[in-house]
Amino acid sequence: MVQSREPFTVCSDQHALSHQGPPLTEALPGLVKWNHICLRFPRNVHSDMHDQVLKFGSYIVDALTEYNQPIMIYIPPYAELRGGAWVVVDPTINPTHMEMYADELSRGGVVEPEGRVEIKFRRKDLEKTMQRLDKTCIQIVEKLTTPQLNPDEKAELQKRLAARQEKLLPMYHQVAIQFADLHDTPGRMEETGVITDILKWHSSREFFYWHLKRRLLERQLKRKMKPVTHNVGEGELNSMLHRWFVEDRGTVNAYMWEDDKAMVQWLTEQIREDSMDNAVSDNIRCLQREHVLQQVRSLKEDNPEVAMDSIVHITQHMTPSQRSEVTRILANMDT
């Protein structure tokens, strides 16, 4: 990874493979873009060991695991992410901070279509497909099942079938490769959940600008929420923000949660201290109050013998009006 003073760090695959140092210490988000038409490793175990490709790949995994800023991986048009290279930048390495996006013209998968066909759709499978779909093969197979065939006729039919299959094999092989390639399309990657979304090249820069800005603003709010929300995961924090947004903007505008530009505007309003309509700050204050009350309850349960002393100490620091209100509440509790 390369250090930069720009709003975000763009890391190409060449820089990533040559990185040997520690992760960034400037608290910058990262954008990883695979520039190669097809990037895959290990390609040859001996040469890769000599060039220390596997070693540098492990450095990248270690850095991404410890990275605590938003990381966005983008597969641009006509690029492919294959094999061990996918393992190095898979978002499951750091699911809290990593997201992967693919252009609509990109491809991605551990095994290339040709390799998948060699494993899953071999010649015997292609021959079965021919015998199921090709009319000539179907007719020959039907004749071969006739019990009255003599050995010479059977041998001739088998020869004709083999010749027909040999003629069809290149075409069926190409169809199989195309079919296997459908498993590596962005649509399929999104369906299986290995990427977050599909992008178009001409609008990708604008998308990353607003999406990254949103993520950074969300991080600011989450930093305020975490001190009063112990043992709450990232998913729950996102759910709380979503709920507050719907409460503030109404159910009719709930769809705007998916609009990064609209969310940046809303989050900016919530972060502003001089904002008159700040739903997030109100909710955070409620969380702080509940957090303090929970701490008091825990202390009282753990140390019941100091309950009276605590009440006396608290009432001594109250205003006369507050003490009167406490007296009224206690009196009502007895009735």
Side-chain angles (χ1 to χ4, degrees):
M1 305 240 175
V2 251
Q3 293 191 2
S4 170
R5 299 287 181 177
E6 296 299 321
F8 54 84
T9 304
V10 179
C11 308
S12 70
D13 49 345
Q14 294 167 328
H15 291 125
L17 291 176
S18 62
H19 172 70
Q20 300 185 49
L24 290 177
T25 57
E26 297 183 346
L28 294 177
L31 176 63
V32 180
K33 179 168 69 72
W34 293 111
N35 292 327
H36 283 192
I37 294 300
C38 183
L39 180 66
R40 61 181 77 83
F41 68 92
R43 297 150 294 188
N44 180 284
V45 176
H46 295 291
S47 64
D48 285 345
M49 291 295 287
H50 180 267
D51 296 334
Q52 299 186 1
V53 173
L54 299 176
K55 176 182 177 182
F56 294 140
S58 67
Y59 284 157
I60 299 171
V61 173
D62 291 341
L64 292 178
T65 303
E66 299 172 0
Y67 212 76
N68 60 359
Q69 296 291 329
I71 307 169
M72 297 176 195
I73 298 124
Y74 178 47
I75 311 174
Y78 305 108
E80 298 181 18
L81 184 58
R82 302 286 184 186
W86 183 292
V87 178
V88 169
V89 295
D90 191 283
T92 56
I93 293 172
N94 188 347
T96 302
H97 298 105
M98 290 180 69
E99 301 173 59
M100 183 180 286
Y101 297 89
D103 187 86
E104 57 185 355
L105 299 175
S106 64
R107 291 290 185 273
V110 176
V111 182
E112 295 179 65
E114 292 85 352
R116 189 177 291 112
V117 169
E118 289 293 327
I119 298 170
K120 294 282 190 178
F121 215 6
R122 299 182 179 180
R123 174 162 183 154
K124 62 178 182 179
D125 302 303
L126 292 174
E127 290 176 353
K128 289 179 182 178
T129 305
M130 295 175 199
Q131 295 173 16
R132 190 178 74 250
L133 300 177
D134 184 66
K135 291 182 179 180
T136 304
C137 289
I138 293 172
Q139 292 171 358
I140 296 174
V141 171
E142 287 177 351
K143 292 178 181 178
L144 282 170
T145 57
T146 305
Q148 292 81 14
L149 278 180
N150 59 54
D152 293 337
E153 291 175 331
K154 187 175 182 179
E156 179 63 25
L157 288 172
Q158 288 176 338
K159 186 177 179 182
R160 283 176 55 195
L161 180 61
R164 179 66 177 174
Q165 289 175 340
E166 197 66 35
K167 181 180 179 181
L168 295 176
L169 186 62
M171 291 179 284
Y172 273 71
H173 182 71
Q174 286 301 316
V175 172
I177 290 175
Q178 290 297 317
F179 178 74
D181 182 62
L182 294 176
H183 293 75
D184 299 336
T185 59
R188 181 59 183 166
M189 288 192 283
E190 184 182 25
E191 181 69 21
T192 55
V194 296
I195 64 172
T196 306
D197 202 358
I198 302 171
L199 305 182
K200 293 183 178 180
W201 174 253
H202 64 83
S203 60
S204 60
R205 188 178 184 86
E206 180 183 7
F207 169 82
F208 282 120
Y209 173 80
W210 290 111
H211 190 67
L212 182 59
K213 197 167 185 178
R214 173 183 179 170
R215 286 287 176 263
L216 294 175
L217 291 171
E218 286 177 343
R219 281 177 59 81
Q220 282 185 253
L221 289 178
K222 288 175 183 177
R223 279 198 294 269
K224 294 181 180 179
M225 295 164 63
K226 283 183 177 179
V228 294
T229 53
H230 293 301
N231 301 322
V232 173
E234 195 74 14
E236 292 180 75
L237 292 176
N238 289 330
S239 298
M240 291 169 69
L241 280 176
H242 186 201
R243 186 176 69 251
W244 297 346
F245 172 77
V246 174
E247 291 172 355
D248 184 47
R249 291 300 171 93
T251 309
V252 177
N253 296 315
Y255 70 93
M256 295 175 66
W257 176 260
E258 304 298 331
D259 186 343
D260 289 332
K261 190 173 182 179
M263 284 303 301
V264 165
Q265 182 180 357
W266 182 76
L267 291 167
T268 304
E269 292 173 359
Q270 303 307 310
I271 289 174
R272 284 173 51 193
E273 296 182 359
D274 60 342
S275 177
M276 300 297 294
D277 183 20
N278 199 322
V280 171
S281 294
D282 292 342
N283 281 285
I284 289 177
R285 280 193 289 270
C286 291
L287 288 174
Q288 289 172 334
R289 183 173 179 274
E290 184 60 33
H291 178 66
V292 172
L293 288 173
Q294 185 61 40
Q295 286 183 314
V296 172
R297 292 190 197 101
S298 299
L299 289 172
K300 188 262 181 186
E301 291 173 359
D302 295 339
N303 305 278
E305 68 279 0
V306 299
M308 286 300 298
D309 295 336
S310 302
I311 293 172
V312 171
H313 178 75
I314 292 171
T315 53
Q316 286 175 344
H317 291 80
M318 287 182 176
T319 62
S321 60
Q322 288 175 330
R323 282 197 291 269
S324 299
E325 182 65 18
V326 170
T327 303
R328 185 186 65 80
I329 292 172
L330 292 174
N332 290 334
M333 288 175 65
D334 295 333
T335 58

